[in-house]
Amino acid sequence: DTVSPSSYRKILSSKVIKGVVLYRFASAFTRASILSFLPLYASYKVDMSSAQIGMVISTSVLLTSFFQYPFGKLADRMNRRNLILLGSIPYSLAVVLFPFTTSFSQVLCINLILGVFGALPMPATSAIIVGEGKKFGMGSTMAVFNVSMSLGLGCGPLVSGLIHDLTGLAVVFYFASFVGVSGPILAGYFLREPLPEIPAEEIKVLEEI
């Protein structure tokens, strides 16, 4: 049966949608801040070459992509709310370690950690948002989800840039970590509601940064 699109107000009245939107904003904020300022830190503080910086960033992204399939299987067996928390909170806490790195190998090691933990919430989040889309209309629900991601991508570099100018580069990572931890914790509060039972295997995982 065709589901007629709901108003955005009605969609956002769903606690599950609120939880996913909060998580997605915080995740995008943290990731955008890292992608914007890690190259700067790596270049000026760790004295890494452009090739090393590219290797660090691409390794994390490729590792996240590699783990999508096994974590999708996991999302069919475990509580999806717990998977979001288990992935996003350690991911964000690891970001705090960047200002303490002094070598290429240390930066690379942290990014490997980010690659694994960053992949864990993705299939679970996709399954939840698709399940809610069946209630409210897939297009409208995905629009809300994508707006939260875009806001995070836009606010992350902007806010982090202001923090950098006012306080310094290290605080950028501390604040990004704070947002990255706070968002999922708030999301977990809303995601205590019963979650939709959509097999993650049937869902094409949403494109991530």
Side-chain angles (χ1 to χ4, degrees), residues 12-118:
L12 289 172
S13 68
S14 164
K15 289 185 178 181
V16 174
I17 293 292
K18 288 178 182 177
V20 174
V21 164
L22 280 170
Y23 157 73
R24 195 66 190 93
F25 172 84
S27 173
F29 184 103
T30 303
R31 289 170 186 263
S33 298
I34 294 171
L35 289 175
S36 298
F37 287 89
L38 180 58
L40 186 64
Y41 179 85
S43 177
Y44 291 101
K45 299 294 185 179
V46 188
D47 197 28
M48 288 168 51
S49 67
S50 298
Q52 288 175 322
I53 294 171
M55 184 184 301
V56 163
I57 293 176
S58 63
T59 300
S60 177
V61 173
L62 290 173
L63 199 60
T64 297
S65 300
F66 175 79
F67 277 99
Q68 291 298 292
Y69 181 76
F71 287 159
K73 292 280 189 180
L74 199 61
D76 283 336
R77 298 187 180 97
M78 292 184 61
N79 183 284
R80 288 165 180 165
R81 170 184 177 271
N82 292 342
L83 288 177
I84 291 174
L85 296 177
L86 288 172
S88 56
I89 292 178
Y91 176 98
S92 300
L93 290 175
V95 174
V96 176
L97 300 175
F98 278 123
F100 300 98
T101 56
T102 57
S103 67
F104 164 69
S105 60
Q106 291 175 349
V107 176
L108 179 61
C109 183
I110 295 173
N111 270 273
L112 292 176
I113 295 172
L114 297 185
V116 175
F117 282 105

Side-chain angles (χ1 to χ4, degrees), residues 107-188:
V107 176
L108 179 61
C109 183
I110 295 173
N111 270 273
L112 292 176
I113 295 172
L114 297 185
V116 175
F117 282 105
L120 185 56
M122 291 180 184
T125 305
S126 300
I128 292 171
I129 203 69
V130 169
E132 291 298 289
K134 290 182 178 294
K135 300 178 185 178
F136 299 107
M138 194 64 69
S140 299
T141 304
M142 289 303 302
V144 171
F145 183 75
N146 288 330
V147 165
S148 67
M149 179 183 69
S150 297
L151 287 174
L153 292 176
C155 292
L158 176 61
V159 174
S160 296
L162 293 173
I163 291 173
H164 174 264
D165 289 344
L166 293 173
T167 61
L169 190 52
V171 184
V172 168
F173 297 103
Y174 300 150
F175 187 77
S177 177
F178 171 76
V179 173
V181 171
S182 302
I185 290 176
L186 290 173

